[in-house]
Amino acid sequence: MPVNLVAPEARSLLPVAGVELGVAEAHVRKPNRKDVLVVKLADGTRVSGVFTLNRFCAAPVLICKQHLAAGTGIRALLVNTGNANAGTGNDGLARAQQTCEALATALQCQPEQILPFSTGVIMEPLPAERIIAGLPQAIANLKADNWADAAEAIMTTDIVAKGVSRQLEIGGNTVTVTGIAKGSGMIHPNMATMLGYIATDAAVSQPALDALIQHAVNRSFNCITVDGDTSTNDALVLLATGQAGHAELTEADADYLALREAVTEVAMLLAQAIVRDGEGATKFMTIQVEAGQDEAECRQIAYAIAHSPLIKTAFFASDPNLGRILAAIGYAGVADLDVSKLKLYLGDVLVAEQGGRAASYVEADGAAVMQQAEILVRVVLGRGEASARVWTCDFSYDYVKINADYRS
Protein backbone atom coordinates (compact mmCIF):
# COMPACT_ATOMS: atom_id res chain seq x y z
CA MET A 1 0.00 0.00 0.00
CA PRO A 2 1.14 3.60 -0.52
CA VAL A 3 3.21 5.06 2.31
CA ASN A 4 1.06 7.48 4.32
CA LEU A 5 -0.90 8.47 1.22
CA VAL A 6 -4.62 8.40 0.48
CA ALA A 7 -6.54 9.67 -2.49
CA PRO A 8 -7.67 13.29 -2.12
CA GLU A 9 -11.30 14.02 -1.35
CA ALA A 10 -13.04 15.48 -4.39
CA ARG A 11 -14.04 18.62 -2.49
CA SER A 12 -10.42 19.31 -1.55
CA LEU A 13 -9.45 19.77 -5.21
CA LEU A 14 -10.58 23.31 -5.92
CA PRO A 15 -11.92 24.48 -9.30
CA VAL A 16 -9.70 26.84 -11.29
CA ALA A 17 -11.56 29.52 -13.24
CA GLY A 18 -11.10 28.91 -16.95
CA VAL A 19 -10.47 25.15 -16.67
CA GLU A 20 -13.03 22.40 -17.30
CA LEU A 21 -12.28 18.68 -17.13
CA GLY A 22 -14.15 15.72 -18.58
CA VAL A 23 -13.42 12.00 -18.49
CA ALA A 24 -14.54 8.97 -20.46
CA GLU A 25 -14.29 5.18 -20.42
CA ALA A 26 -12.95 4.53 -23.90
CA HIS A 27 -11.58 1.00 -23.35
CA VAL A 28 -8.13 2.10 -24.51
CA ARG A 29 -6.63 -1.02 -22.91
CA LYS A 30 -9.07 -2.33 -20.32
CA PRO A 31 -12.85 -1.98 -19.99
CA ASN A 32 -14.74 -0.25 -17.21
CA ARG A 33 -12.10 2.29 -16.24
CA LYS A 34 -11.67 6.00 -16.78
CA ASP A 35 -8.93 6.24 -19.41
CA VAL A 36 -9.48 9.43 -21.42
CA LEU A 37 -9.30 12.96 -20.07
CA VAL A 38 -10.13 16.22 -21.85
CA VAL A 39 -9.08 19.50 -20.22
CA LYS A 40 -10.73 22.49 -21.89
CA LEU A 41 -9.03 25.86 -21.37
CA ALA A 42 -10.42 29.38 -21.60
CA ASP A 43 -9.21 31.47 -24.50
CA GLY A 44 -6.04 33.33 -23.55
CA THR A 45 -4.73 30.67 -21.16
CA ARG A 46 -0.95 30.64 -21.05
CA VAL A 47 0.77 27.26 -21.05
CA SER A 48 4.30 26.11 -20.26
CA GLY A 49 5.63 22.57 -20.24
CA VAL A 50 8.69 20.47 -19.49
CA PHE A 51 9.19 17.02 -20.97
CA THR A 52 11.25 13.85 -20.77
CA LEU A 53 14.89 13.87 -21.87
CA ASN A 54 14.61 10.27 -23.09
CA ARG A 55 15.76 10.21 -26.73
CA PHE A 56 13.04 7.63 -27.47
CA CYS A 57 10.40 10.11 -26.39
CA ALA A 58 6.80 9.30 -27.24
CA ALA A 59 4.86 10.65 -30.22
CA PRO A 60 2.65 12.89 -28.04
CA VAL A 61 5.72 14.48 -26.48
CA LEU A 62 7.00 15.45 -29.93
CA ILE A 63 3.60 16.84 -30.92
CA CYS A 64 3.23 18.77 -27.66
CA LYS A 65 6.54 20.49 -28.27
CA GLN A 66 5.53 21.36 -31.83
CA HIS A 67 2.14 22.73 -30.81
CA LEU A 68 3.58 24.81 -27.98
CA ALA A 69 6.19 26.23 -30.36
CA ALA A 70 3.50 27.16 -32.89
CA GLY A 71 2.33 29.92 -30.56
CA THR A 72 -1.33 29.73 -31.60
CA GLY A 73 -2.59 29.41 -28.02
CA ILE A 74 -3.56 26.12 -26.39
CA ARG A 75 -7.28 25.44 -25.95
CA ALA A 76 -7.32 21.86 -24.64
CA LEU A 77 -5.32 18.91 -23.35
CA LEU A 78 -6.12 15.32 -24.36
CA VAL A 79 -4.78 12.53 -22.14
CA ASN A 80 -5.12 8.78 -22.51
CA THR A 81 -3.92 6.01 -20.26
CA GLY A 82 -3.32 2.36 -21.16
CA ASN A 83 -1.10 3.06 -24.17
CA ALA A 84 2.08 5.18 -24.20
CA ASN A 85 2.23 5.65 -28.00
CA ALA A 86 6.02 5.43 -27.65
CA GLY A 87 8.33 3.43 -29.88
CA THR A 88 5.64 3.65 -32.56
CA GLY A 89 7.44 5.70 -35.24
CA ASN A 90 5.56 7.70 -37.87
CA ASP A 91 2.41 5.66 -37.31
CA GLY A 92 2.33 6.84 -33.70
CA LEU A 93 2.68 10.45 -34.77
CA ALA A 94 -0.14 10.08 -37.27
CA ARG A 95 -2.46 8.46 -34.72
CA ALA A 96 -1.75 11.13 -32.10
CA GLN A 97 -2.39 13.81 -34.69
CA GLN A 98 -5.73 12.15 -35.56
CA THR A 99 -6.86 12.48 -31.95
CA CYS A 100 -5.85 16.16 -31.92
CA GLU A 101 -7.79 16.80 -35.10
CA ALA A 102 -10.89 15.06 -33.74
CA LEU A 103 -10.87 17.03 -30.49
CA ALA A 104 -10.16 20.30 -32.33
CA THR A 105 -13.19 19.71 -34.54
CA ALA A 106 -15.38 19.01 -31.52
CA LEU A 107 -14.17 22.13 -29.69
CA GLN A 108 -14.08 24.33 -32.81
CA CYS A 109 -10.40 25.18 -32.64
CA GLN A 110 -7.23 24.26 -34.53
CA PRO A 111 -5.37 20.93 -34.10
CA GLU A 112 -2.27 22.95 -33.15
CA GLN A 113 -4.23 24.20 -30.13
CA ILE A 114 -4.50 20.68 -28.67
CA LEU A 115 -1.78 19.10 -26.51
CA PRO A 116 -1.90 15.26 -26.52
CA PHE A 117 -0.49 13.06 -23.74
CA SER A 118 -0.31 9.29 -23.41
CA THR A 119 0.81 6.87 -20.72
CA GLY A 120 0.88 3.10 -20.54
CA VAL A 121 2.46 0.26 -22.47
CA ILE A 122 5.31 1.16 -24.84
CA MET A 123 5.66 -0.01 -28.46
CA GLU A 124 2.00 -0.80 -29.10
CA PRO A 125 -0.14 1.03 -31.68
CA LEU A 126 -2.32 3.76 -30.20
CA PRO A 127 -6.00 2.81 -30.56
CA ALA A 128 -6.88 6.27 -31.84
CA GLU A 129 -10.33 5.16 -32.95
CA ARG A 130 -11.26 4.23 -29.36
CA ILE A 131 -9.99 7.54 -27.99
CA ILE A 132 -11.88 9.47 -30.66
CA ALA A 133 -15.04 7.47 -29.97
CA GLY A 134 -14.71 8.42 -26.29
CA LEU A 135 -14.42 12.16 -26.92
CA PRO A 136 -18.19 12.92 -26.94
CA GLN A 137 -18.53 11.32 -23.51
CA ALA A 138 -15.56 13.27 -22.15
CA ILE A 139 -16.82 16.55 -23.61
CA ALA A 140 -20.32 16.00 -22.22
CA ASN A 141 -18.68 15.40 -18.84
CA LEU A 142 -16.74 18.71 -18.82
CA LYS A 143 -17.00 20.38 -15.38
CA ALA A 144 -14.90 22.83 -13.40
CA ASP A 145 -15.05 20.65 -10.27
CA ASN A 146 -13.99 17.41 -11.95
CA TRP A 147 -10.37 17.28 -10.76
CA ALA A 148 -10.82 14.09 -8.71
CA ASP A 149 -12.18 12.11 -11.66
CA ALA A 150 -9.42 13.61 -13.83
CA ALA A 151 -6.78 12.37 -11.37
CA GLU A 152 -8.23 8.85 -11.63
CA ALA A 153 -8.41 8.97 -15.43
CA ILE A 154 -4.63 9.40 -15.84
CA MET A 155 -3.57 6.54 -13.54
CA THR A 156 -1.68 3.44 -14.75
CA THR A 157 -0.08 1.28 -12.04
CA ASP A 158 -0.88 3.94 -9.42
CA ILE A 159 -2.82 2.62 -6.46
CA VAL A 160 -4.33 5.98 -5.49
CA ALA A 161 -5.08 9.17 -7.38
CA LYS A 162 -2.90 12.18 -6.67
CA GLY A 163 -4.11 15.77 -6.38
CA VAL A 164 -3.44 18.94 -4.36
CA SER A 165 -4.90 22.45 -4.14
CA ARG A 166 -3.66 25.65 -2.54
CA GLN A 167 -4.99 29.22 -2.45
CA LEU A 168 -3.39 32.61 -1.87
CA GLU A 169 -4.25 36.29 -2.11
CA ILE A 170 -2.89 38.49 -4.90
CA GLY A 171 -4.01 42.09 -5.25
CA GLY A 172 -7.02 41.47 -3.04
CA ASN A 173 -8.13 38.51 -5.18
CA THR A 174 -8.18 34.84 -4.25
CA VAL A 175 -5.91 32.82 -6.52
CA THR A 176 -6.25 29.04 -6.79
CA VAL A 177 -3.58 26.49 -7.70
CA THR A 178 -4.72 22.90 -8.32
CA GLY A 179 -2.65 20.03 -9.64
CA ILE A 180 -2.92 16.34 -10.41
CA ALA A 181 -0.25 13.80 -11.34
CA LYS A 182 0.23 10.14 -12.11
CA GLY A 183 3.29 8.01 -11.62
CA SER A 184 4.35 4.91 -9.75
CA GLY A 185 7.05 3.09 -11.70
CA MET A 186 9.77 4.10 -14.18
CA ILE A 187 10.38 7.08 -11.92
CA HIS A 188 13.62 9.00 -12.35
CA PRO A 189 14.48 12.52 -13.50
CA ASN A 190 14.80 14.27 -15.82
CA MET A 191 11.90 14.22 -15.22
CA ALA A 192 10.43 11.63 -13.01
CA THR A 193 8.36 9.28 -15.07
CA MET A 194 5.02 10.84 -14.76
CA LEU A 195 2.32 13.06 -16.12
CA GLY A 196 1.48 16.20 -14.17
CA TYR A 197 -0.94 19.05 -14.73
CA ILE A 198 -0.99 22.15 -12.55
CA ALA A 199 -3.43 24.98 -13.20
CA THR A 200 -3.89 28.42 -11.70
CA ASP A 201 -6.24 31.29 -12.42
CA ALA A 202 -3.41 33.76 -11.80
CA ALA A 203 -2.46 36.18 -14.56
CA VAL A 204 1.21 35.56 -15.42
CA SER A 205 3.35 36.71 -18.32
CA GLN A 206 4.70 33.92 -20.54
CA PRO A 207 8.36 34.50 -19.55
CA ALA A 208 7.39 34.46 -15.88
CA LEU A 209 5.35 31.28 -16.36
CA ASP A 210 8.28 29.57 -18.09
CA ALA A 211 10.59 30.56 -15.23
CA LEU A 212 8.02 29.42 -12.68
CA ILE A 213 7.72 25.87 -14.04
CA GLN A 214 11.49 25.47 -14.14
CA HIS A 215 11.79 26.63 -10.53
CA ALA A 216 9.02 24.26 -9.42
CA VAL A 217 10.18 21.17 -11.31
CA ASN A 218 13.77 21.47 -10.09
CA ARG A 219 12.49 21.36 -6.49
CA SER A 220 9.95 18.61 -6.97
CA PHE A 221 9.74 16.19 -9.89
CA ASN A 222 13.48 16.42 -10.55
CA CYS A 223 14.12 15.36 -6.95
CA ILE A 224 12.44 11.96 -6.96
CA THR A 225 13.32 8.44 -8.03
CA VAL A 226 11.68 5.06 -7.63
CA ASP A 227 13.70 2.78 -9.89
CA GLY A 228 16.12 4.90 -11.90
CA ASP A 229 14.29 4.38 -15.22
CA THR A 230 13.56 7.56 -17.20
CA SER A 231 10.30 7.18 -19.11
CA THR A 232 9.53 8.01 -22.70
CA ASN A 233 6.43 10.03 -21.83
CA ASP A 234 7.24 12.35 -18.91
CA ALA A 235 5.46 15.67 -19.06
CA LEU A 236 4.56 18.45 -16.65
CA VAL A 237 2.32 21.26 -17.83
CA LEU A 238 1.58 24.52 -16.04
CA LEU A 239 -1.57 26.41 -17.04
CA ALA A 240 -2.40 30.03 -16.13
CA THR A 241 -5.87 31.16 -17.19
CA GLY A 242 -5.50 34.77 -16.01
CA GLN A 243 -9.06 34.87 -14.63
CA ALA A 244 -8.36 35.66 -10.97
CA GLY A 245 -8.84 39.40 -11.55
CA HIS A 246 -5.42 40.82 -10.64
CA ALA A 247 -2.85 42.58 -12.82
CA GLU A 248 -0.52 40.38 -14.84
CA LEU A 249 2.53 39.25 -12.89
CA THR A 250 6.12 39.36 -14.07
CA GLU A 251 9.21 38.00 -12.34
CA ALA A 252 9.86 41.44 -10.88
CA ASP A 253 6.62 41.47 -8.85
CA ALA A 254 6.62 40.51 -5.18
CA ASP A 255 3.35 38.63 -5.65
CA TYR A 256 5.05 36.48 -8.27
CA LEU A 257 7.24 35.01 -5.53
CA ALA A 258 4.16 34.13 -3.51
CA LEU A 259 2.61 32.41 -6.52
CA ARG A 260 5.88 30.61 -7.23
CA GLU A 261 5.94 29.32 -3.67
CA ALA A 262 2.37 28.00 -3.95
CA VAL A 263 2.96 26.29 -7.30
CA THR A 264 6.21 24.78 -6.04
CA GLU A 265 4.47 23.44 -2.93
CA VAL A 266 1.79 21.79 -5.08
CA ALA A 267 4.46 20.31 -7.36
CA MET A 268 6.48 19.05 -4.38
CA LEU A 269 3.50 17.37 -2.75
CA LEU A 270 2.53 15.71 -6.05
CA ALA A 271 6.11 14.53 -6.58
CA GLN A 272 6.28 13.09 -3.08
CA ALA A 273 2.93 11.39 -3.63
CA ILE A 274 4.40 9.61 -6.66
CA VAL A 275 7.21 8.22 -4.51
CA ARG A 276 4.83 7.29 -1.69
CA ASP A 277 2.83 5.35 -4.29
CA GLY A 278 5.94 3.82 -5.86
CA GLU A 279 5.30 0.34 -7.19
CA GLY A 280 5.31 -1.95 -4.15
CA ALA A 281 6.66 0.76 -1.84
CA THR A 282 6.56 0.21 1.93
CA LYS A 283 9.04 2.94 2.98
CA PHE A 284 9.36 6.62 2.01
CA MET A 285 12.94 7.85 2.31
CA THR A 286 14.39 11.35 2.24
CA ILE A 287 18.04 11.42 1.21
CA GLN A 288 19.56 14.70 2.41
CA VAL A 289 23.15 15.57 1.55
CA GLU A 290 24.64 18.61 3.27
CA ALA A 291 27.88 20.59 3.49
CA GLY A 292 28.93 19.93 -0.08
CA GLN A 293 30.98 22.14 -2.36
CA ASP A 294 28.03 22.64 -4.72
CA GLU A 295 24.49 21.41 -5.24
CA ALA A 296 25.53 19.21 -8.18
CA GLU A 297 27.80 16.99 -6.10
CA CYS A 298 25.21 16.79 -3.34
CA ARG A 299 22.62 15.58 -5.85
CA GLN A 300 25.15 13.16 -7.33
CA ILE A 301 25.68 11.50 -3.97
CA ALA A 302 22.00 11.61 -3.05
CA TYR A 303 21.03 9.82 -6.25
CA ALA A 304 23.76 7.22 -5.85
CA ILE A 305 22.14 6.29 -2.54
CA ALA A 306 18.56 6.57 -3.80
CA HIS A 307 19.16 4.43 -6.90
CA SER A 308 21.00 1.55 -5.24
CA PRO A 309 18.94 -1.68 -5.33
CA LEU A 310 21.06 -3.02 -2.46
CA ILE A 311 20.15 -0.06 -0.27
CA LYS A 312 16.49 -0.08 -1.29
CA THR A 313 16.09 -3.80 -0.56
CA ALA A 314 17.82 -3.39 2.81
CA PHE A 315 15.32 -0.69 3.73
CA PHE A 316 12.45 -2.98 2.71
CA ALA A 317 13.82 -5.64 5.05
CA SER A 318 14.45 -3.05 7.82
CA ASP A 319 18.01 -4.38 7.83
CA PRO A 320 20.57 -1.78 9.02
CA ASN A 321 23.18 -3.00 6.54
CA LEU A 322 24.37 0.59 6.31
CA GLY A 323 27.76 -0.13 4.83
CA ARG A 324 25.85 -0.20 1.56
CA ILE A 325 25.21 3.53 1.95
CA LEU A 326 28.92 4.21 2.48
CA ALA A 327 29.69 2.19 -0.64
CA ALA A 328 27.19 4.23 -2.69
CA ILE A 329 28.67 7.49 -1.44
CA GLY A 330 32.11 6.22 -2.40
CA TYR A 331 31.18 5.29 -5.97
CA ALA A 332 29.04 8.38 -6.61
CA GLY A 333 31.88 9.96 -8.57
CA VAL A 334 33.07 12.80 -6.32
CA ALA A 335 36.76 12.16 -6.94
CA ASP A 336 38.25 14.35 -4.21
CA LEU A 337 35.82 13.40 -1.44
CA ASP A 338 37.57 13.14 1.93
CA VAL A 339 35.65 10.37 3.67
CA SER A 340 37.36 11.13 6.99
CA LYS A 341 35.32 14.36 7.18
CA LEU A 342 32.01 12.73 6.34
CA LYS A 343 29.22 11.90 8.78
CA LEU A 344 26.28 9.60 8.08
CA TYR A 345 23.05 9.76 10.07
CA LEU A 346 20.02 7.49 9.96
CA GLY A 347 17.32 9.69 11.40
CA ASP A 348 18.99 11.21 14.47
CA VAL A 349 21.36 8.27 14.88
CA LEU A 350 25.02 8.91 14.00
CA VAL A 351 26.12 5.83 12.06
CA ALA A 352 29.52 6.67 10.61
CA GLU A 353 32.26 9.29 11.02
CA GLN A 354 36.02 9.59 10.52
CA GLY A 355 35.91 7.02 7.73
CA GLY A 356 34.15 4.25 9.59
CA ARG A 357 31.53 3.16 12.10
CA ALA A 358 30.80 5.79 14.75
CA ALA A 359 31.96 4.77 18.21
CA SER A 360 28.52 5.64 19.61
CA TYR A 361 26.56 3.63 17.03
CA VAL A 362 24.53 0.67 18.26
CA GLU A 363 22.89 -1.46 15.58
CA ALA A 364 19.69 -1.72 17.58
CA ASP A 365 19.28 2.05 17.23
CA GLY A 366 19.66 1.81 13.45
CA ALA A 367 17.23 -1.10 13.28
CA ALA A 368 14.64 0.91 15.22
CA VAL A 369 14.82 3.75 12.69
CA MET A 370 14.54 1.35 9.76
CA GLN A 371 11.29 -0.06 11.14
CA GLN A 372 9.65 3.30 10.49
CA ALA A 373 7.58 4.02 7.38
CA GLU A 374 9.33 7.36 6.79
CA ILE A 375 13.09 7.54 7.12
CA LEU A 376 15.67 10.32 6.81
CA VAL A 377 19.15 9.44 5.54
CA ARG A 378 21.44 12.39 6.19
CA VAL A 379 24.94 12.72 4.79
CA VAL A 380 27.17 15.58 5.98
CA LEU A 381 30.13 15.94 3.63
CA GLY A 382 32.09 18.53 5.61
CA ARG A 383 33.40 20.36 2.55
CA GLY A 384 31.16 23.39 1.91
CA GLU A 385 27.74 25.01 2.33
CA ALA A 386 25.68 23.42 -0.47
CA SER A 387 22.92 20.86 0.01
CA ALA A 388 20.41 18.78 -1.93
CA ARG A 389 17.47 16.55 -1.12
CA VAL A 390 16.02 13.56 -2.99
CA TRP A 391 12.97 11.43 -2.21
CA THR A 392 12.81 7.72 -2.94
CA CYS A 393 11.24 4.47 -1.74
CA ASP A 394 12.27 0.91 -1.03
CA PHE A 395 12.16 -2.13 -3.32
CA SER A 396 9.76 -4.84 -2.19
CA TYR A 397 8.68 -8.20 -3.61
CA ASP A 398 5.65 -6.43 -5.07
CA TYR A 399 7.81 -4.17 -7.25
CA VAL A 400 9.02 -7.24 -9.13
CA LYS A 401 5.53 -8.75 -9.31
CA ILE A 402 3.90 -5.55 -10.59
CA ASN A 403 6.44 -5.11 -13.35
CA ALA A 404 6.61 -8.78 -14.26
CA ASP A 405 2.83 -8.81 -14.72
CA TYR A 406 2.50 -5.30 -16.23
CA ARG A 407 1.18 -6.43 -19.62
CA SER A 408 -1.01 -9.23 -18.25
Side-chain angles (χ1 to χ4, degrees):
M1 294 298 292
V3 183
N4 294 334
L5 178 71
V6 296
E9 294 185 6
R11 64 184 179 182
S12 73
L13 299 180
L14 305 175
V16 175
V19 178
E20 295 178 285
L21 310 98
V23 305
E25 295 182 2
H27 299 184
V28 174
R29 182 170 179 81
K30 296 180 180 180
N32 305 316
R33 62 160 296 170
K34 304 179 185 77
D35 55 11
V36 168
L37 166 66
V38 171
V39 183
K40 183 180 178 183
L41 306 175
D43 191 17
T45 297
R46 292 203 166 103
V47 180
S48 189
V50 288
F51 301 92
T52 182
L53 297 182
N54 192 312
R55 293 298 299 162
F56 244 116
C57 64
V61 170
L62 295 172
I63 292 176
C64 277
K65 291 181 176 180
Q66 294 170 2
H67 288 186
L68 283 170
T72 55
I74 303 302
R75 295 302 310 275
L77 315 181
L78 173 58
V79 190
N80 76 268
T81 187
N83 184 297
N85 196 11
T88 49
N90 289 332
D91 178 72
L93 289 169
R95 290 171 184 254
Q97 190 61 35
Q98 289 171 15
T99 66
C100 291
E101 291 169 356
L103 182 56
T105 298
L107 297 182
Q108 298 183 329
C109 63
Q110 300 301 312
E112 294 76 18
Q113 295 180 295
I114 308 295
L115 297 183
F117 303 87
S118 297
T119 182
V121 179
I122 296 171
M123 224 170 72
E124 293 187 1
L126 181 75
E129 68 286 351
R130 297 181 191 174
I131 295 170
I132 292 169
L135 292 181
Q137 180 186 353
I139 292 169
N141 183 240
L142 285 168
K143 295 181 289 186
D145 61 350
N146 217 9
W147 285 94
D149 277 354
E152 290 183 12
I154 63 175
M155 293 166 60
T156 50
T157 57
D158 308 59
I159 294 176
V160 299
K162 302 164 183 69
V164 181
S165 286
R166 290 292 183 268
Q167 287 186 320
L168 66 156
E169 294 290 321
I170 295 179
N173 299 278
T174 299
V175 170
T176 301
V177 180
T178 295
I180 57 174
K182 64 78 51 181
S184 188
M186 284 187 79
I187 300 296
H188 173 53
N190 290 296
M191 289 167 357
T193 268
M194 43 75 68
L195 297 178
Y197 307 99
I198 300 176
T200 178
D201 48 10
V204 190
S205 71
Q206 189 66 52
L209 193 69
D210 294 341
L212 200 164
I213 195 172
Q214 291 295 332
H215 181 276
V217 77
N218 285 333
R219 290 156 178 80
S220 57
F221 296 105
N222 280 350
C223 296
I224 63 175
T225 181
V226 167
D227 48 23
D229 275 358
T230 299
S231 168
T232 54
N233 292 62
D234 301 339
L236 174 68
V237 176
L238 180 59
L239 316 165
T241 67
Q243 298 199 4
H246 61 84
E248 183 176 275
L249 299 177
T250 69
E251 289 184 78
D253 296 315
D255 285 330
Y256 170 78
L257 297 179
L259 177 65
R260 190 177 72 176
E261 182 178 348
V263 170
T264 301
E265 181 183 3
V266 168
M268 187 180 299
L269 291 171
L270 290 173
Q272 290 180 357
I274 286 173
V275 174
R276 293 179 184 280
D277 195 18
E279 289 170 342
T282 70
K283 306 279 178 71
F284 176 84
M285 290 108 74
T286 300
I287 315 298
Q288 188 165 305
V289 180
E290 307 170 10
Q293 286 187 350
D294 54 43
E295 184 178 353
E297 74 173 21
C298 292
R299 278 180 176 256
Q300 193 171 336
I301 290 172
Y303 276 120
I305 297 168
H307 289 160
S308 168
L310 289 177
I311 293 171
K312 292 158 80 69
T313 51
F315 273 93
F316 169 63
S318 300
D319 175 17
N321 189 356
L322 303 177
R324 294 178 175 182
I325 299 178
L326 295 184
I329 295 169
Y331 66 59
V334 180
D336 61 343
L337 182 66
D338 185 348
V339 298
S340 68
K341 295 181 179 179
L342 182 148
K343 293 184 179 181
L344 170 65
Y345 293 85
L346 188 64
D348 293 329
V349 177
L350 177 62
V351 173
E353 62 179 343
Q354 298 178 350
R357 185 186 185 113
S360 61
Y361 177 62
V362 177
E363 186 162 305
D365 294 337
V369 175
M370 293 191 75
Q371 293 287 340
Q372 300 170 12
E374 302 204 19
I375 300 169
L376 171 65
V377 176
R378 183 168 161 247
V379 181
V380 183
L381 299 179
R383 54 194 263 123
E385 301 297 326
S387 64
R389 183 172 52 185
V390 168
W391 298 290
T392 190
C393 59
D394 59 340
F395 270 168
S396 70
Y397 306 125
D398 284 343
Y399 177 85
V400 177
K401 185 177 187 302
I402 289 166
N403 282 283
D405 297 340
Y406 183 62
R407 297 205 308 163
S408 302

